[in-house]
Amino acid sequence: MQPILPGAPWLIAHKSMLGVNKPNKITLNGQDYVIWQNSKGEVFAIDNICPHLQAPLSNGWVCQERGTITCPFHALEFDGKGRLHRTEEKDTQPITKSLELIISNDCIWTYAGFEARLPIPDLHQSINNEYEFIGVAGEKSIQGDFLTTLMVNYDYNHQNGTHKDLFRITSCKVSSFEENGYYAKVAQEILRADNTLGEIIKNPALGIIPKVMNNTLEYAFPSTTALFAKSPIGNVAQVHILYPETENRTKTFVLFYAKDINPVMKLLFKNSFLQAAGKIIEQDTETVENLYPRQKPKIRLPYEEIMFYAEKLYSNW
Ligand code: FES
Ligand SMILES: [Fe+2]
């Protein structure tokens, strides 16, 4: 495939998603990689195709002492630089490609071998300076192309349909939209009706989400949409990540952060917050996966310029 947005920094995983000494497969722009973290917390990624007889290395296992990935077919071992491991001799030349990673605040970024066209967004650093990481939610591979999936995050009308049920949204207004190149900021006011007791019992976070929500959203195109919201128990940042797996598959997950939440509340609400974030992703996924092929829209809704701003960045890349 033609790589999508080559030179963009992609956030492919948070360290907490990888486990320890466990192979994981990731796909970025049509290429499969095996990625693993050793017990020291170092992370490596190499081409997932074994250079011997092309077995998927991600089906193999990690050797704890040597830190190598072992192929499931004939058990050859490779280190994080793509070098074959041999006991008798030191083979120093890589025989398979490794993926260059940049790790920052436990987030794993890569340019996948392309020359960087944008820096890793400051947004992540500023969130990490202020907030505490709570967990990852909603990890999903969406059957949908990158642009369609991305545009949903810049769409200030889909709350009324896609997310109506869970949050009982009655109105959504944008009070400001500032764009600065690849960065943008939106202030949003959402009004919602009461959830039923049954809904609150199933998901206690719904009981503390205010009826009037004044949220801020910050965008770092193309990887990141961060939603900042206030709740009576503290502030949260829900950071939506996207990257293109293939032409018609897009990976997403949410990094959830909180600040000024007391430890008891955090313990009580942690799972509930993550569950709500996961539900949002499910609803967006369902929308994207059920769309018919795109045509020129015959109707315009308010605030759609925000969505078209993202589309323009994409097509002018
Ligand atoms: S295919 Fe990987 S070791 Fe043979
Ligand atoms: Fe959404």
Side-chain angles (χ1 to χ4, degrees):
M1 68 175 273
Q2 281 286 4
I4 290 165
L5 305 174
W10 297 115
L11 204 180
I12 53 172
H14 185 272
K15 272 186 171 189
S16 65
M17 296 159 74
L18 299 180
V20 173
N21 292 323
K22 178 183 157 290
N24 304 268
K25 183 173 117 176
I26 68 134
T27 307
L28 174 59
N29 264 329
Q31 302 285 322
D32 288 349
Y33 303 92
V34 57
I35 179 165
W36 71 99
Q37 169 172 229
N38 67 18
S39 21
K40 285 188 254 164
E42 297 165 317
V43 181
F44 306 96
I46 64 173
D47 199 333
N48 198 36
I49 306 175
C50 179
H52 177 221
L53 290 177
Q54 291 70 54
L57 295 176
S58 55
N59 289 356
W61 59 94
V62 172
C63 167
Q64 290 203 29
E65 299 113 65
R66 294 186 288 280
T68 49
I69 176 85
T70 313
C71 179
F73 199 172
H74 310 97
L76 291 179
E77 290 177 37
F78 303 91
D79 70 10
K81 293 206 166 87
R83 298 177 296 201
L84 178 65
H85 176 86
R86 294 185 204 261
T87 36
E88 64 284 9
E89 65 197 78
K90 263 262 166 278
D91 204 343
T92 49
Q93 285 314 306
I95 56 166
T96 184
K97 270 198 319 294
S98 58
L99 182 65
E100 206 181 306
L101 306 174
I102 302 156
I103 300 181
S104 166
N105 298 307
D106 289 339
C107 289
I108 305 162
W109 295 84
T110 185
Y111 290 95
F114 290 99
E115 198 187 315
R117 288 189 48 182
L118 286 178
I120 289 170
D122 295 337
L123 179 54
H124 288 262
Q125 188 57 52
S126 58
I127 293 171
N128 274 278
N129 292 345
E130 266 188 68
Y131 288 78
E132 179 195 349
F133 176 69
I134 300 291
V136 177
E139 187 181 351
K140 237 183 171 45
S141 183
I142 303 174
Q143 287 302 324
D145 63 88
F146 184 78
L147 179 60
T148 305
T149 313
L150 178 79
M151 280 170 73
V152 173
N153 286 350
Y154 290 79
D155 179 339
Y156 284 84
N157 297 290
H158 84 286
Q159 291 88 341
N160 298 338
T162 304
H163 301 305
K164 187 174 195 298
D165 277 358
L166 180 68
F167 299 102
R168 305 218 164 261
I169 294 167
T170 51
S171 99
C172 169
K173 283 198 198 95
V174 170
S175 42
S176 74
F177 166 48
E178 298 156 35
E179 53 148 302
N180 181 10
Y182 292 98
Y183 299 91
K185 204 170 170 176
V186 171
Q188 171 201 51
E189 187 194 76
I190 289 183
L191 305 182
R192 37 182 243 112
D194 287 319
N195 282 97
T196 64
L197 190 60
E199 287 166 341
I200 294 171
I201 289 170
K202 261 205 230 140
N203 192 333
L206 294 172
I208 57 161
I209 298 176
K211 293 287 128 52
V212 180
M213 296 162 76
N214 285 298
N215 301 332
T216 311
L217 286 100
E218 288 191 43
Y219 294 94
F221 179 92
S223 63
T224 307
T225 304
L227 166 87
F228 299 92
K230 292 188 185 76
S231 89
I233 63 160
N235 294 348
V236 299
Q238 191 173 304
V239 185
H240 290 242
I241 304 299
L242 290 179
Y243 66 85
E245 290 189 313
T246 62
E247 254 151 29
N248 44 33
R249 232 176 56 215
T250 304
K251 176 77 177 219
T252 189
F253 53 88
V254 174
L255 304 174
F256 206 91
Y257 296 82
K259 70 170 178 182
D260 309 327
I261 292 194
N262 84 49
V264 180
M265 288 300 179
K266 196 168 68 194
L267 206 68
L268 281 176
F269 283 98
K270 178 182 168 178
N271 288 338
S272 178
F273 276 135
L274 295 178
Q275 190 194 328
K279 187 76 192 165
I280 292 170
I281 297 295
E282 255 172 56
Q283 294 174 333
D284 285 333
T285 303
E286 201 190 330
T287 292
V288 169
E289 291 186 345
N290 283 298
L291 293 174
Y292 285 104
R294 213 162 145 216
Q295 295 181 16
K296 197 173 158 36
K298 293 185 180 160
I299 307 146
R300 273 294 295 262
L301 289 175
Y303 324 123
E304 283 186 333
E305 64 279 8
I306 304 170
M307 202 164 79
F308 296 128
Y309 147 81
E311 188 180 33
K312 205 161 135 204
L313 292 180
Y314 181 93
S315 39
N316 292 348
W317 183 258

